[in-house]
Amino acid sequence: MDRSRSDVLIMGGGVIGLACALYLLKAGASVRVLEQGFPGSGSSHGNCGTVTPSHAAPLTMPGMVGTALRSLLRRDAPLYVNPRADAARARWLLGFARHCNWRDFQRAGAARGAILARSRALLDDLVAGEGLRCEFEAVGELYVYRQPRTFQADRPHVDLLRGLGMDVRELDGDEVLALEPGLRDGVAGALLHPGDARLRPDRFVAELARRVRELGGAIETGARIDEFVLDGARISHVRTTGGVFSGERVVMALGAWSPLVGRLLGIRLPMQPGKGYSLTWEQPPEHPPHHSLVLREAAVCVTPWQSGYRLGSTMEFSGFEEGLNDVRIDALRRGAAAYLLEPEGRGEVVPWWGWRPMSVDEVPIIGPSTRWSNLAYATAHGMLGISMAAATGELLASLLAGPAPVLDPQPYSPARFNL
């Protein structure tokens, strides 16, 4: 028996790869996960940990190109595009700009809304049924506004969600302060998304990894992908720094690293890394907010847990530039301080950065490749990997191992990019 061979070989041990592994194992497949670091060491680790059907609206909407261009001069802007020359990023930005119209906004919103709603519907049973200890709380999320014009500018967001059948409640300033007395005066209003939830993302990923191993799956750490051994249109073997492995089916769930590894197969994935930042305290403030918050004008996400407290978000397009940017970390602190009486947690604080896998049309890429006979994709989830993980795992497992998928796979198909 070849111990290096499995029914499905999953490249990537983040939240998406592990969710795919879990659902494939439950479908009866043998699974091996290849991870260059440790499970969840990429953007699955330091993100805000919110589960947000409310984020169905894509970034691709009219006016976003102007916002991006204005950010060229502001390194602390919530959306920042580094002006340094980069041909791959320039191609991606041009493609992204072409999708910034109302038709594509509605199409992407419907696709994102469907997978977000399905994932949210699965999550309660997944956490309870698999015994995942990750501080999951179905408490809802509050978008907080200090400017009436920003509130009004988000009307397409509200209309999209209501068109998808999601519950969105509009609150005035007094109602918001009654719900969250830790906010500063001057709140213009808020949107309450009762269907949203939160969890501790590092613990969620660690728990998924635990269950994958308990169900018989293998997770190879320290296994960076170096080369593919090909047999015609089929991937025969994957060479890594941790050994050589093979699978009847191979899944690319590499997040932001997908386009880099895709080049080894002659594939140009329409993706760019969107760099995000967070600050995590070991204890919450003395009086933490009840809901998770999006401080809308500052574009700062606030996530309180029993075990800690996190400020996060921002979007920076700087290619694969590594490292912390103190300007953007400071912007998180300033943004929170403008809205909250207790903007920071207690105890030690840990800064973090990571790359989000941003697709050119703001819709994930899930399903079999049109170019490689045994390759499938589960990537390009943008800022919504945690939120979309359960439904992505279920969908991919259905496509590879049956039964017929609950979710229509067509909107996420790699065929739309001839991949």
Side-chain angles (χ1 to χ4, degrees), residues 19 22 37 54 86 181 239 241 260 278 288 302 380 395:
L22 180 63
S54 66
D86 181 325
R239 296 188 188 276
T241 51
L260 299 180
S278 68
V302 182
L395 175 58

Side-chain angles (χ1 to χ4, degrees), residues 7-12 16-17 20 24 225 228 233-235 238 247-255 258 261-262 265 267 269 271 364-381 392-393 395-401 412-415 419:
D7 292 336
V8 185
L9 188 63
I10 298 176
M11 302 183 292
I16 297 296
C20 290
L24 282 161
I225 294 157
F228 293 97
R234 179 181 178 81
I235 298 171
V238 180
E248 288 300 311
R249 305 299 294 266
V250 178
V251 177
M252 185 179 291
L254 290 162
S258 298
V261 174
L265 293 167
I267 295 166
L269 281 156
M271 295 169 59
I365 301 170
I366 307 167
S369 171
T370 62
R371 297 175 58 185
W372 296 97
S373 63
N374 65 332
L375 176 67
Y377 299 94
T379 190
H381 293 79
T392 298
L395 175 58
L396 190 85
S398 295
L399 292 171
L400 299 191
Y412 320 102
S413 172
L419 299 173

